């Protein structure tokens, strides 16, 4: 399996809901990433996991909570989001947590009402 | 501060014409530069990386350390090259700085 998969493809949630985004890769990559991408903008890095440990948090609000249960799986837990959090959330992985090629998932399109 | 500049938001060329997408960066180390591409309704993917010379679809990019540029070139554009292109040099913590992107439109 040489792809990064993300579920769900689309998510609509209210500001009081709790939901989770899931990302999976089976390429043996040791770094995994969450990005947020607004329309017609480049991806913005949110979190980096390196060997299943959180190594970078780009000052992301606490209403976003990442989790890496094992080396293949990455979750992003969402709680009390704001409408401005609506965006495409991308997961990526790379072989090593360095300047290595990143492989992206298709993204989850999140809409916060 | 480390920066990357893609001066063209939009670039439109005719099929068969040469294409050059500009990227200028500031980075104090020896850069490992990337170009990523996002085709309509497809995932973001690597197009080219400097150090390994990996490339797809006929694109090349030469690192010019004097001008701190890593412009992307293709001699003859194809309609399927229409996409969003991002230049991405690394930061000191090895994470990527993403340029604002250039939307390339190839006219038939």
């Amino acid at each position: 399996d040489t792809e990064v998969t993300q579920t769900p493809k689309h998510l609509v949630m209210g500001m009081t809901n709790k939901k989770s985004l899931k990302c999976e890769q089976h390429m043996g990559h040791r770094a995994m990433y969450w990005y947020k991408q607004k329309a017609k903008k480049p991806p913005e890095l949110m979190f980096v996991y390196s060997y299943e440990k959180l190594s970078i948090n780009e000052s992301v609000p606490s209403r976003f909570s990442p989790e890496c249960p094992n080396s293949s799986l990455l979750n992003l837990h969402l709680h009390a989001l704001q409408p401005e959090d609506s965006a495409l959330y991308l997961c990526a992985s790379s072989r090593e947590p360095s300047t290595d090629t990143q492989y992206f998932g298709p993204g989850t399109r999140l809409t916060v009402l | 501060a480390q920066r990357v500049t893609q001066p063209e938001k939009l670039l439109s060329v005719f099929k068969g014409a040469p294409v050059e997408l500009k990227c200028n960066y500031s980075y104090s180390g020896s850069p490992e530069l990337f170009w990523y591409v996002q085709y309509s309704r497809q995932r973001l993917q690597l197009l080219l990386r400097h150090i390994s010379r990996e490339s797809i679809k006929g694109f090349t990019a030469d690192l010019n350390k004097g001008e701190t540029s890593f412009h992307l070139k293709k001699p003859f554009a194809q309609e399927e090259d229409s996409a969003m292109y991002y230049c991405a040099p690394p930061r000191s913590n090895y994470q990527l700085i993403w340029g604002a992107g250039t939307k390339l439109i190839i006219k038939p």
Side-chain angles (χ1 to χ4, degrees):
Chain A
D1 189 348
T2 57
E3 277 198 344
V4 176
T5 58
Q6 289 187 246
T7 53
K9 282 188 177 179
H10 302 275
L11 179 62
V12 179
M13 60 186 290
M15 288 191 283
T16 58
N17 292 159
K18 281 186 182 181
K19 296 285 185 185
S20 296
L21 310 184
K22 180 179 168 182
C23 171
E24 206 159 357
Q25 57 87 14
H26 296 286
M27 295 180 278
H29 289 177
R30 304 319 302 264
M32 294 186 78
Y33 311 78
W34 280 115
Y35 287 91
K36 173 182 177 181
Q37 188 178 28
K38 290 279 207 181
K40 300 183 183 178
K41 297 287 186 185
E44 298 171 42
L45 183 65
M46 299 174 73
F47 302 104
V48 181
Y49 271 82
S50 171
Y51 289 83
E52 301 165 49
K53 289 187 171 15
L54 182 64
S55 61
I56 294 177
N57 176 339
E58 291 286 326
S59 304
V60 179
S62 60
R63 56 187 185 268
F64 295 92
S65 174
E67 180 198 16
C68 188
N70 59 57
S71 60
S72 300
L73 196 52
L74 187 66
N75 297 320
L76 186 62
H77 303 297
L78 314 172
H79 174 54
L81 294 194
Q82 304 296 310
E84 58 265 28
D85 296 322
S86 298
L88 182 68
Y89 287 84
L90 298 172
C91 174
S93 70
S94 63
R95 192 167 45 90
E96 291 292 328
S98 64
T99 52
D100 218 350
T101 300
Q102 293 186 22
Y103 294 83
F104 284 83
T108 294
R109 175 75 59 191
L110 175 68
T111 303
V112 182
L113 301 175
Chain B
Q2 293 158 330
R3 286 190 308 273
V4 57
T5 304
Q6 291 182 250
E8 304 124 337
K9 277 183 116 171
L10 176 65
L11 184 63
S12 182
V13 302
F14 283 103
K15 177 182 170 182
V19 171
E20 183 179 53
L21 290 85
K22 293 185 168 56
C23 172
N24 289 91
Y25 66 92
S26 65
Y27 183 68
S28 54
S30 181
E32 161 67 290
L33 287 146
F34 298 83
W35 277 95
Y36 280 84
V37 61
Q38 197 166 27
Y39 300 101
S40 179
R41 297 191 195 87
Q42 293 188 30
R43 65 185 70 196
L44 196 55
Q45 60 183 291
L46 176 74
L47 179 68
L48 181 149
R49 62 184 291 187
H50 165 63
I51 198 166
S52 66
R53 303 286 182 182
E54 293 172 48
S55 173
I56 61 170
K57 306 202 176 183
F59 283 92
T60 60
D62 287 321
L63 177 61
N64 186 321
K65 289 188 180 180
E67 294 178 3
T68 58
S69 68
F70 191 54
H71 303 328
L72 185 69
K73 298 177 184 179
K74 185 170 181 177
F76 307 103
Q78 304 297 312
E79 285 186 71
E80 56 266 29
D81 296 328
S82 294
M84 195 75 182
Y85 290 80
Y86 295 101
C87 179
R91 294 191 295 194
S92 54
N93 65 356
Y94 304 116
Q95 298 314 310
L96 299 178
I97 313 169
W98 292 83
T102 296
K103 184 171 184 176
L104 177 64
I105 296 174
I106 307 301
K107 296 178 285 191

